[in-house]
Amino acid sequence: MYSREQLIGQWHRSDSNGAENFSELAQLNDDGSFTFTFYTYNLEGSVVDEISELGMWGLVGDLHFTITEAEVENQQHFKADMTDSDNYHAYRVLALSDDNFTYEHVVTGDKFTLFKVQANANKN
């Protein structure tokens, strides 16, 4: 089974749709809090959008879950609507090692792979 401690730290992934490039930086803290920052870049490499989500995360067996409690966009902080089901997500862990983390959304089937940037960052 997977260990919660394996997820603590900083993770990164990048993707492209041909017109824009996307990047995610995920910080998973040992106290169960997270910050996910999503960047959108134009093809010249300039950031055109940056949104952060803040909340709580956990791992039970091979199920990883997140609860988004707030968002930051254009340096403005917004409290999340906790009655909105889009703020709750569950993922099945497909692979987890010291270097990468692959998971699948249990509802949509979308798969993501993140790569470890920094282990045990921001320990509380």
Side-chain angles (χ1 to χ4, degrees):
M1 216 25 68
Y2 302 107
S3 165
R4 181 182 181 281
E5 286 73 26
Q6 289 177 282
L7 284 174
I8 296 169
Q10 204 169 62
W11 298 84
H12 179 266
R13 73 177 178 94
S14 295
D15 201 358
S16 179
N17 67 6
E20 295 178 311
N21 296 314
F22 306 94
S23 182
E24 174 185 357
L25 187 62
Q27 177 65 50
L28 300 173
N29 300 310
D30 63 353
D31 67 356
S33 65
F34 73 76
T35 301
F36 300 151
T37 304
F38 303 93
Y39 301 92
T40 304
Y41 304 88
N42 60 25
L43 294 180
E44 290 75 40
S46 298
V47 175
V48 295
D49 195 27
E50 178 182 334
I51 297 174
S52 294
E53 296 178 356
L54 307 132
M56 300 301 291
W57 71 276
L59 179 69
V60 178
D62 67 347
L63 291 177
H64 168 61
F65 62 88
T66 62
I67 302 170
T68 299
E69 299 174 315
E71 290 187 3
V72 178
E73 186 171 3
N74 298 320
Q75 299 181 354
Q76 291 187 309
H77 191 271
F78 302 97
K79 183 171 172 36
D81 177 359
M82 300 313 295
T83 64
D84 184 348
S85 63
D86 285 339
N87 289 317
Y88 301 86
H89 295 279
Y91 307 90
R92 182 153 323 277
V93 177
L94 303 177
L96 177 58
S97 72
D98 291 340
D99 300 320
N100 63 62
F101 172 36
T102 301
Y103 56 97
E104 178 180 32
H105 195 282
V106 298
V107 174
T108 67
D110 292 338
K111 294 179 185 175
F112 306 95
T113 297
L114 282 79
F115 299 92
K116 183 69 77 91
V117 175
Q118 182 180 351
N120 298 326
N122 289 342
K123 286 195 73 125
N124 294 326

PDB file of all heavy atoms in Angstrom, residues 10-14 24-26 28 36 99-103 112-116:
ATOM      1  N   GLN A  10       6.774  18.857  -2.880  1.00  0.00           N
ATOM      2  CA  GLN A  10       6.403  19.664  -4.028  1.00  0.00           C
ATOM      3  C   GLN A  10       6.456  18.808  -5.292  1.00  0.00           C
ATOM      4  O   GLN A  10       7.430  18.078  -5.521  1.00  0.00           O
ATOM      5  CB  GLN A  10       7.371  20.835  -4.139  1.00  0.00           C
ATOM      6  CG  GLN A  10       6.832  22.024  -4.862  1.00  0.00           C
ATOM      7  CD  GLN A  10       7.756  23.212  -4.671  1.00  0.00           C
ATOM      8  OE1 GLN A  10       8.903  23.169  -5.073  1.00  0.00           O
ATOM      9  NE2 GLN A  10       7.257  24.245  -4.028  1.00  0.00           N
ATOM     10  N   TRP A  11       5.397  18.914  -6.103  1.00  0.00           N
ATOM     11  CA  TRP A  11       5.240  18.114  -7.320  1.00  0.00           C
ATOM     12  C   TRP A  11       4.942  19.026  -8.492  1.00  0.00           C
ATOM     13  O   TRP A  11       4.365  20.103  -8.313  1.00  0.00           O
ATOM     14  CB  TRP A  11       4.090  17.126  -7.138  1.00  0.00           C
ATOM     15  CG  TRP A  11       4.295  16.138  -6.040  1.00  0.00           C
ATOM     16  CD1 TRP A  11       4.044  16.311  -4.714  1.00  0.00           C
ATOM     17  CD2 TRP A  11       4.831  14.821  -6.179  1.00  0.00           C
ATOM     18  NE1 TRP A  11       4.365  15.185  -4.014  1.00  0.00           N
ATOM     19  CE2 TRP A  11       4.856  14.253  -4.893  1.00  0.00           C
ATOM     20  CE3 TRP A  11       5.274  14.070  -7.252  1.00  0.00           C
ATOM     21  CZ2 TRP A  11       5.316  12.961  -4.665  1.00  0.00           C
ATOM     22  CZ3 TRP A  11       5.728  12.782  -7.025  1.00  0.00           C
ATOM     23  CH2 TRP A  11       5.739  12.236  -5.744  1.00  0.00           C
ATOM     24  N   HIS A  12       5.280  18.568  -9.716  1.00  0.00           N
ATOM     25  CA  HIS A  12       5.091  19.390 -10.905  1.00  0.00           C
ATOM     26  C   HIS A  12       4.633  18.533 -12.078  1.00  0.00           C
ATOM     27  O   HIS A  12       5.025  17.378 -12.200  1.00  0.00           O
ATOM     28  CB  HIS A  12       6.417  20.081 -11.272  1.00  0.00           C
ATOM     29  CG  HIS A  12       6.318  20.931 -12.491  1.00  0.00           C
ATOM     30  ND1 HIS A  12       6.646  20.462 -13.751  1.00  0.00           N
ATOM     31  CD2 HIS A  12       5.907  22.199 -12.659  1.00  0.00           C
ATOM     32  CE1 HIS A  12       6.451  21.432 -14.631  1.00  0.00           C
ATOM     33  NE2 HIS A  12       6.004  22.487 -14.006  1.00  0.00           N
ATOM     34  N   ARG A  13       3.811  19.143 -12.935  1.00  0.00           N
ATOM     35  CA  ARG A  13       3.465  18.522 -14.213  1.00  0.00           C
ATOM     36  C   ARG A  13       3.265  19.628 -15.243  1.00  0.00           C
ATOM     37  O   ARG A  13       2.941  20.768 -14.899  1.00  0.00           O
ATOM     38  CB  ARG A  13       2.216  17.644 -14.129  1.00  0.00           C
ATOM     39  CG  ARG A  13       0.928  18.393 -14.015  1.00  0.00           C
ATOM     40  CD  ARG A  13      -0.273  17.428 -14.009  1.00  0.00           C
ATOM     41  NE  ARG A  13      -1.493  18.184 -13.858  1.00  0.00           N
ATOM     42  CZ  ARG A  13      -2.243  18.605 -14.876  1.00  0.00           C
ATOM     43  NH1 ARG A  13      -1.915  18.308 -16.111  1.00  0.00           N
ATOM     44  NH2 ARG A  13      -3.336  19.303 -14.661  1.00  0.00           N
ATOM     45  N   SER A  14       3.474  19.271 -16.509  1.00  0.00           N
ATOM     46  CA  SER A  14       3.278  20.201 -17.622  1.00  0.00           C
ATOM     47  C   SER A  14       2.530  19.491 -18.731  1.00  0.00           C
ATOM     48  O   SER A  14       2.618  18.271 -18.876  1.00  0.00           O
ATOM     49  CB  SER A  14       4.627  20.692 -18.165  1.00  0.00           C
ATOM     50  OG  SER A  14       5.302  21.444 -17.196  1.00  0.00           O
ATOM     51  N   GLU A  24       1.406  22.803 -13.611  1.00  0.00           N
ATOM     52  CA  GLU A  24       0.840  22.749 -12.260  1.00  0.00           C
ATOM     53  C   GLU A  24       1.975  22.534 -11.273  1.00  0.00           C
ATOM     54  O   GLU A  24       2.839  21.692 -11.480  1.00  0.00           O
ATOM     55  CB  GLU A  24      -0.143  21.585 -12.132  1.00  0.00           C
ATOM     56  CG  GLU A  24      -0.653  21.385 -10.718  1.00  0.00           C
ATOM     57  CD  GLU A  24      -1.541  20.157 -10.562  1.00  0.00           C
ATOM     58  OE1 GLU A  24      -1.817  19.466 -11.553  1.00  0.00           O
ATOM     59  OE2 GLU A  24      -1.949  19.891  -9.408  1.00  0.00           O
ATOM     60  N   LEU A  25       1.972  23.310 -10.208  1.00  0.00           N
ATOM     61  CA  LEU A  25       2.892  23.117  -9.102  1.00  0.00           C
ATOM     62  C   LEU A  25       2.039  22.794  -7.883  1.00  0.00           C
ATOM     63  O   LEU A  25       1.186  23.586  -7.477  1.00  0.00           O
ATOM     64  CB  LEU A  25       3.723  24.378  -8.857  1.00  0.00           C
ATOM     65  CG  LEU A  25       4.829  24.250  -7.828  1.00  0.00           C
ATOM     66  CD1 LEU A  25       5.855  23.212  -8.260  1.00  0.00           C
ATOM     67  CD2 LEU A  25       5.510  25.592  -7.621  1.00  0.00           C
ATOM     68  N   ALA A  26       2.232  21.607  -7.327  1.00  0.00           N
ATOM     69  CA  ALA A  26       1.429  21.131  -6.197  1.00  0.00           C
ATOM     70  C   ALA A  26       2.311  21.027  -4.961  1.00  0.00           C
ATOM     71  O   ALA A  26       3.344  20.358  -4.989  1.00  0.00           O
ATOM     72  CB  ALA A  26       0.821  19.775  -6.519  1.00  0.00           C
ATOM     73  N   LEU A  28       2.092  19.659  -1.239  1.00  0.00           N
ATOM     74  CA  LEU A  28       1.324  18.856  -0.283  1.00  0.00           C
ATOM     75  C   LEU A  28       2.080  18.876   1.042  1.00  0.00           C
ATOM     76  O   LEU A  28       3.213  18.395   1.123  1.00  0.00           O
ATOM     77  CB  LEU A  28       1.170  17.426  -0.795  1.00  0.00           C
ATOM     78  CG  LEU A  28       0.443  17.288  -2.134  1.00  0.00           C
ATOM     79  CD1 LEU A  28       0.506  15.860  -2.634  1.00  0.00           C
ATOM     80  CD2 LEU A  28      -0.987  17.751  -2.009  1.00  0.00           C
ATOM     81  N   PHE A  36      -2.269  24.235  -4.816  1.00  0.00           N
ATOM     82  CA  PHE A  36      -2.072  23.852  -6.208  1.00  0.00           C
ATOM     83  C   PHE A  36      -2.083  25.139  -7.011  1.00  0.00           C
ATOM     84  O   PHE A  36      -3.063  25.889  -6.967  1.00  0.00           O
ATOM     85  CB  PHE A  36      -3.194  22.951  -6.726  1.00  0.00           C
ATOM     86  CG  PHE A  36      -3.351  21.646  -5.989  1.00  0.00           C
ATOM     87  CD1 PHE A  36      -4.584  21.046  -5.915  1.00  0.00           C
ATOM     88  CD2 PHE A  36      -2.280  21.012  -5.396  1.00  0.00           C
ATOM     89  CE1 PHE A  36      -4.755  19.834  -5.260  1.00  0.00           C
ATOM     90  CE2 PHE A  36      -2.432  19.807  -4.732  1.00  0.00           C
ATOM     91  CZ  PHE A  36      -3.681  19.214  -4.661  1.00  0.00           C
ATOM     92  N   ASP A  99       9.854   9.611  -6.993  1.00  0.00           N
ATOM     93  CA  ASP A  99      10.045  10.559  -8.089  1.00  0.00           C
ATOM     94  C   ASP A  99       8.781  10.932  -8.850  1.00  0.00           C
ATOM     95  O   ASP A  99       8.722  11.998  -9.446  1.00  0.00           O
ATOM     96  CB  ASP A  99      11.041   9.983  -9.104  1.00  0.00           C
ATOM     97  CG  ASP A  99      12.389   9.714  -8.485  1.00  0.00           C
ATOM     98  OD1 ASP A  99      12.841  10.537  -7.672  1.00  0.00           O
ATOM     99  OD2 ASP A  99      12.985   8.667  -8.809  1.00  0.00           O
ATOM    100  N   ASN A 100       7.776  10.046  -8.880  1.00  0.00           N
ATOM    101  CA  ASN A 100       6.571  10.387  -9.637  1.00  0.00           C
ATOM    102  C   ASN A 100       5.317   9.841  -8.978  1.00  0.00           C
ATOM    103  O   ASN A 100       5.362   8.936  -8.163  1.00  0.00           O
ATOM    104  CB  ASN A 100       6.687   9.937 -11.100  1.00  0.00           C
ATOM    105  CG  ASN A 100       6.799   8.453 -11.253  1.00  0.00           C
ATOM    106  OD1 ASN A 100       5.878   7.727 -10.881  1.00  0.00           O
ATOM    107  ND2 ASN A 100       7.898   7.976 -11.804  1.00  0.00           N
ATOM    108  N   PHE A 101       4.197  10.439  -9.376  1.00  0.00           N
ATOM    109  CA  PHE A 101       2.894  10.172  -8.792  1.00  0.00           C
ATOM    110  C   PHE A 101       1.882  10.179  -9.937  1.00  0.00           C
ATOM    111  O   PHE A 101       1.691  11.204 -10.590  1.00  0.00           O
ATOM    112  CB  PHE A 101       2.601  11.265  -7.764  1.00  0.00           C
ATOM    113  CG  PHE A 101       1.222  11.292  -7.178  1.00  0.00           C
ATOM    114  CD1 PHE A 101       0.513  10.144  -6.907  1.00  0.00           C
ATOM    115  CD2 PHE A 101       0.637  12.511  -6.852  1.00  0.00           C
ATOM    116  CE1 PHE A 101      -0.760  10.182  -6.336  1.00  0.00           C
ATOM    117  CE2 PHE A 101      -0.623  12.571  -6.279  1.00  0.00           C
ATOM    118  CZ  PHE A 101      -1.324  11.414  -6.027  1.00  0.00           C
ATOM    119  N   THR A 102       1.271   9.034 -10.218  1.00  0.00           N
ATOM    120  CA  THR A 102       0.264   8.939 -11.267  1.00  0.00           C
ATOM    121  C   THR A 102      -1.060   8.564 -10.622  1.00  0.00           C
ATOM    122  O   THR A 102      -1.129   7.633  -9.816  1.00  0.00           O
ATOM    123  CB  THR A 102       0.656   7.882 -12.325  1.00  0.00           C
ATOM    124  OG1 THR A 102       1.909   8.248 -12.893  1.00  0.00           O
ATOM    125  CG2 THR A 102      -0.397   7.786 -13.419  1.00  0.00           C
ATOM    126  N   TYR A 103      -2.098   9.299 -10.973  1.00  0.00           N
ATOM    127  CA  TYR A 103      -3.409   9.075 -10.375  1.00  0.00           C
ATOM    128  C   TYR A 103      -4.508   9.310 -11.393  1.00  0.00           C
ATOM    129  O   TYR A 103      -4.300   9.963 -12.413  1.00  0.00           O
ATOM    130  CB  TYR A 103      -3.601   9.955  -9.135  1.00  0.00           C
ATOM    131  CG  TYR A 103      -3.408  11.435  -9.372  1.00  0.00           C
ATOM    132  CD1 TYR A 103      -4.499  12.265  -9.603  1.00  0.00           C
ATOM    133  CD2 TYR A 103      -2.148  12.009  -9.358  1.00  0.00           C
ATOM    134  CE1 TYR A 103      -4.337  13.626  -9.818  1.00  0.00           C
ATOM    135  CE2 TYR A 103      -1.972  13.361  -9.560  1.00  0.00           C
ATOM    136  CZ  TYR A 103      -3.067  14.169  -9.798  1.00  0.00           C
ATOM    137  OH  TYR A 103      -2.900  15.507 -10.017  1.00  0.00           O
ATOM    138  N   PHE A 112      -3.310  11.797 -14.500  1.00  0.00           N
ATOM    139  CA  PHE A 112      -2.273  12.808 -14.362  1.00  0.00           C
ATOM    140  C   PHE A 112      -1.017  12.153 -13.799  1.00  0.00           C
ATOM    141  O   PHE A 112      -1.106  11.244 -12.978  1.00  0.00           O
ATOM    142  CB  PHE A 112      -2.719  13.911 -13.399  1.00  0.00           C
ATOM    143  CG  PHE A 112      -4.035  14.541 -13.766  1.00  0.00           C
ATOM    144  CD1 PHE A 112      -5.216  14.097 -13.193  1.00  0.00           C
ATOM    145  CD2 PHE A 112      -4.091  15.569 -14.688  1.00  0.00           C
ATOM    146  CE1 PHE A 112      -6.433  14.670 -13.528  1.00  0.00           C
ATOM    147  CE2 PHE A 112      -5.302  16.152 -15.039  1.00  0.00           C
ATOM    148  CZ  PHE A 112      -6.474  15.698 -14.448  1.00  0.00           C
ATOM    149  N   THR A 113       0.129  12.649 -14.227  1.00  0.00           N
ATOM    150  CA  THR A 113       1.403  12.233 -13.656  1.00  0.00           C
ATOM    151  C   THR A 113       2.165  13.479 -13.239  1.00  0.00           C
ATOM    152  O   THR A 113       2.354  14.393 -14.050  1.00  0.00           O
ATOM    153  CB  THR A 113       2.245  11.412 -14.646  1.00  0.00           C
ATOM    154  OG1 THR A 113       1.533  10.211 -14.965  1.00  0.00           O
ATOM    155  CG2 THR A 113       3.592  11.044 -14.040  1.00  0.00           C
ATOM    156  N   LEU A 114       2.552  13.517 -11.984  1.00  0.00           N
ATOM    157  CA  LEU A 114       3.356  14.606 -11.442  1.00  0.00           C
ATOM    158  C   LEU A 114       4.726  14.067 -11.071  1.00  0.00           C
ATOM    159  O   LEU A 114       4.865  12.881 -10.761  1.00  0.00           O
ATOM    160  CB  LEU A 114       2.700  15.214 -10.200  1.00  0.00           C
ATOM    161  CG  LEU A 114       1.529  16.165 -10.451  1.00  0.00           C
ATOM    162  CD1 LEU A 114       0.263  15.398 -10.747  1.00  0.00           C
ATOM    163  CD2 LEU A 114       1.321  17.057  -9.248  1.00  0.00           C
ATOM    164  N   PHE A 115       5.719  14.949 -11.095  1.00  0.00           N
ATOM    165  CA  PHE A 115       7.096  14.582 -10.780  1.00  0.00           C
ATOM    166  C   PHE A 115       7.564  15.365  -9.569  1.00  0.00           C
ATOM    167  O   PHE A 115       7.292  16.561  -9.462  1.00  0.00           O
ATOM    168  CB  PHE A 115       8.001  14.843 -11.994  1.00  0.00           C
ATOM    169  CG  PHE A 115       7.574  14.021 -13.175  1.00  0.00           C
ATOM    170  CD1 PHE A 115       6.680  14.532 -14.106  1.00  0.00           C
ATOM    171  CD2 PHE A 115       8.045  12.731 -13.331  1.00  0.00           C
ATOM    172  CE1 PHE A 115       6.262  13.763 -15.181  1.00  0.00           C
ATOM    173  CE2 PHE A 115       7.639  11.956 -14.397  1.00  0.00           C
ATOM    174  CZ  PHE A 115       6.742  12.471 -15.331  1.00  0.00           C
ATOM    175  N   LYS A 116       8.257  14.704  -8.666  1.00  0.00           N
ATOM    176  CA  LYS A 116       8.713  15.312  -7.413  1.00  0.00           C
ATOM    177  C   LYS A 116       9.727  16.410  -7.716  1.00  0.00           C
ATOM    178  O   LYS A 116      10.663  16.208  -8.469  1.00  0.00           O
ATOM    179  CB  LYS A 116       9.303  14.253  -6.497  1.00  0.00           C
ATOM    180  CG  LYS A 116       9.752  14.742  -5.123  1.00  0.00           C
ATOM    181  CD  LYS A 116       8.618  15.154  -4.203  1.00  0.00           C
ATOM    182  CE  LYS A 116       7.861  14.074  -3.562  1.00  0.00           C
ATOM    183  NZ  LYS A 116       8.229  13.556  -2.295  1.00  0.00           N
TER     184      LYS A 116
END
